[in-house]
Amino acid sequence: MANEKFITFEGPEGSGKSTHILLLADYLREHGIEVIVTREPGGTPTGEAIRDLLQHGGSGEVPVPRAEVLLFLASRAQHVERFIRPALASGSWVLCDRFEDSTLAYQGYGRGFDVDKLRAMNHFATHGLKPDLTLLLDVLPEISRARLLARQTQTSAAPDRIEREAEAFHIRLRNGFLELARQEPSRFVVVDTVGEQKQVASAIRAAVIRRLMGGDPNEH
Ligand code: T5A
């Protein structure tokens, strides 16, 4: 149907990215669009190894904040060159769970690294690849904490290193995401995720139809 598109899902932990990326992929496939779903850090063998280092202490050592930035960017460089660009070149739409805005929000607004420097480093890693649309799934820190706690109770999974960060960190990064969306309104759509999953999924579909499929959401 339409030309290839690159859509990123961004937002704090527990905002529903993993849930809604799969629902959107199903919807697009039903409309005859070839879709690939991927994530960061990860998406390639190198990226998944980096994910293990970053989130689960795979090396037995916690990366220092500067190493953390470089590891996220190394995962992204590999992902863009080996996976995302080839998939787009083959005509697929690519839906990616987190991309450059997570680095700006977490390592920039969250950890305090200079956001413009991070942008330049990110540009090096991606060779300038930008999403056609970024869906920012917004959630208040107290709601995301409650969702993650409920999931941890159900699955007995322990919170990862970043989930354990202090409340102030989570407030800074949420505000950082909202600031990034204000700076680039033509790329971002902010979706409030407080409501039922069904309502959130429908808001996401409407944004994609309006921005990328040239349609009226009421007709789909
Ligand atoms: N990171 C990543 C950086 O610091 N810098 C970077 O550059 C990059 C790329 C990635 C970590 O790395 C950091 C950010 C992260 O801390 P991850 O495991 O990929 O780690 O973490 P998340 O992306 O945050 O994944 P989560 O699974 O924690 O959150 P999601 O995907 O946003 O949420 P989801 O869909 O799993 O939903 C969470 C729970 O909430 C429920 C779901 O059923 C689920 O149980 N839920 C709802 N409940 C009620 N109402 C709704 N509307 C709901 N939507 C979802």
Side-chain angles (χ1 to χ4, degrees):
M1 183 186 159
N3 291 336
E4 70 284 357
K5 299 288 179 205
F6 179 34
I7 304 178
T8 54
F9 280 65
E10 296 280 6
E13 293 97 4
S15 55
K17 296 175 303 301
S18 319
T19 305
H20 289 288
I21 206 167
L22 296 179
L23 294 175
L24 179 64
D26 287 345
Y27 170 80
L28 293 172
R29 287 182 187 123
E30 281 163 19
H31 285 75
I33 294 173
E34 198 177 311
V35 180
I36 289 176
V37 175
T38 185
R39 68 172 181 183
E40 288 203 359
T44 63
T46 302
E48 292 297 329
I50 291 175
R51 184 182 181 92
D52 183 49
L53 284 178
L54 281 164
Q55 279 180 273
H56 307 294
S59 65
E61 177 188 40
V62 175
V64 296
R66 281 169 196 273
E68 182 185 82
V69 170
L70 295 169
L71 287 167
F72 281 118
L73 293 175
S75 166
R76 185 160 309 135
Q78 190 77 9
H79 195 202
V80 166
E81 191 164 327
R82 286 292 161 86
F83 189 89
I84 299 177
R85 284 193 191 275
L88 291 170
S90 78
S92 272
W93 285 33
V94 176
L95 309 188
C96 189
D97 191 340
R98 298 193 179 281
F99 195 63
E100 66 166 294
D101 301 299
S102 282
T103 308
L104 303 182
Y106 281 80
Q107 282 64 53
Y109 293 97
R111 296 243 189 269
F113 285 111
D114 183 278
V115 172
D116 286 332
K117 257 191 207 151
L118 291 177
R119 274 189 220 278
M121 292 164 77
N122 187 69
H123 191 273
F124 173 79
T126 62
H127 221 106
L129 179 70
K130 292 293 277 187
D132 296 292
L133 174 66
T134 296
L135 296 155
L136 171 54
L137 304 199
D138 183 38
V139 67
L140 286 168
E142 53 269 31
I143 295 182
S144 92
R145 214 178 18 256
R147 285 181 190 166
L148 294 177
L149 260 178
R151 184 174 65 186
Q152 280 152 22
T153 312
Q154 273 168 12
T155 61
S156 316
D160 68 33
R161 198 168 55 81
I162 294 180
E163 282 168 7
R164 290 196 301 269
E165 284 288 340
E167 167 97 23
F169 176 88
H170 291 283
I171 293 172
R172 282 199 303 278
L173 84 88
R174 174 185 179 234
N175 290 338
F177 271 127
L178 291 171
E179 175 58 25
L180 294 171
R182 272 192 291 275
Q183 289 170 4
E184 271 189 88
S186 62
R187 173 164 67 89
F188 275 91
V189 171
V190 180
V191 180
D192 185 348
T193 69
V194 170
E196 298 274 310
Q197 287 193 18
K198 236 170 127 179
Q199 290 170 298
V200 177
S202 144
I204 289 173
R205 280 198 305 274
V208 171
I209 293 164
R210 223 178 24 248
R211 294 280 183 106
L212 299 183
M213 295 163 87
D216 176 351
N218 298 319
E219 287 170 8
H220 282 252

